[in-house]
């Protein structure tokens, strides 16, 4: 039977440096910052990493010329009245930002990743751009990836 002093053995192997290495957890993502908005009494959220800026429509801008969110997602061809329209600019490659009309910007909030749920099977495949759901202030929020909206694909390639 051999009896070893593991402390001395570890000191010999490590040269006396037995400090526990520090793990850089700055890359450990626990929250995602989400911009929440409402279109036709439905709530949507987008990762702020995709958003360049959100502005009120400047005077003289014809909001009918700005692509509406519900049409970009092909949700409805019906006329939807945007009560408090904003222009959201989606970040694109080469600094290009694509405008899209949203309505009733509700909040920008840090959402824990653990609060985000996959879509129920019934909703899967309805739109490739909707990737998950969460609740905010008791409302269901569908999470949208603007880069997966086919009518906005040019923002990634600046075409």
């Amino acid at each position: 039977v051999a009896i070893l002093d593991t402390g001395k053995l570890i000191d010999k192997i490590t040269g006396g440096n037995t400090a526990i290495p520090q793990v850089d957890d700055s890359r450990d993502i626990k929250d995602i910052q989400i911009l929440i908005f409402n279109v036709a009494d439905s709530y949507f959220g987008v990762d702020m990493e995709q958003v360049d800026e959100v502005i009120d429509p400047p005077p003289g801008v014809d909001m009918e010329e700005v692509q509406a969110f519900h049409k970009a997602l092909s949700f409805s061809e019906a006329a939807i009245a945007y009560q408090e329209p904003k222009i959201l600019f989606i970040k694109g490659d080469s600094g290009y930002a694509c405008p899209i009309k949203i309505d009733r910007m509700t909040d920008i909030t840090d959402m824990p990743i653990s609060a985000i749920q996959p879509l129920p099977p019934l909703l899967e495949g309805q739109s490739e751009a909707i990737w998950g759901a969460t609740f905010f202030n008791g409302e269901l929020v569908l999470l949208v990836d603007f880069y997966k909206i086919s009518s906005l694909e040019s923002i990634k390639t600046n075409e």
Side-chain angles (χ1 to χ4, degrees):
V1 175
I3 299 175
L4 296 174
D5 183 344
T6 54
K8 285 184 182 179
L9 182 59
I10 291 173
D11 281 348
K12 186 161 183 108
I13 293 171
T14 63
N17 184 9
T18 58
I20 298 171
Q22 296 298 314
V23 177
D24 179 13
D25 64 352
S26 63
R27 305 184 93 214
D28 184 18
I29 300 172
K30 295 178 181 148
D31 292 334
I32 181 171
Q33 193 173 42
I34 296 177
L35 178 142
I36 298 173
F37 58 96
N38 182 311
V39 175
D41 296 323
S42 297
Y43 288 88
F44 299 92
V46 62
D47 184 349
M48 282 298 293
E49 298 240 344
Q50 291 186 353
V51 177
D52 189 45
E53 68 178 319
V54 180
I55 63 170
D56 288 319
V61 169
D62 182 2
M63 289 300 287
E64 295 302 315
E65 291 184 15
V66 179
Q67 184 171 20
F69 172 77
H70 76 281
K71 288 186 177 181
L73 247 59
S74 302
F75 270 163
S76 174
E77 290 301 318
I80 293 178
Y82 283 65
Q83 304 298 318
E84 300 169 32
K86 304 274 187 205
I87 301 174
L88 182 146
F89 289 91
I90 304 161
K91 287 180 187 175
D93 290 345
S94 306
Y96 175 75
C98 177
I100 190 164
K101 179 171 51 174
I102 64 170
D103 201 17
R104 296 185 185 133
M105 191 173 101
T106 305
D107 204 346
I108 296 174
T109 186
D110 289 329
M111 184 67 59
I113 295 289
S114 60
I116 297 172
Q117 301 297 316
L119 290 176
L122 183 63
L123 295 177
E124 286 179 358
Q126 294 299 314
S127 173
E128 187 174 283
I130 297 179
W131 60 273
T134 190
F135 283 92
F136 180 75
N137 291 340
E139 299 290 340
L140 178 67
V141 177
L142 297 176
L143 301 173
V144 177
D145 181 346
F146 279 121
Y147 296 148
K148 290 188 176 178
I149 298 175
S150 59
S151 63
L152 300 176
E153 282 185 359
S154 63
I155 62 173
K156 291 170 60 177
T157 58
N158 200 18
E159 293 175 358

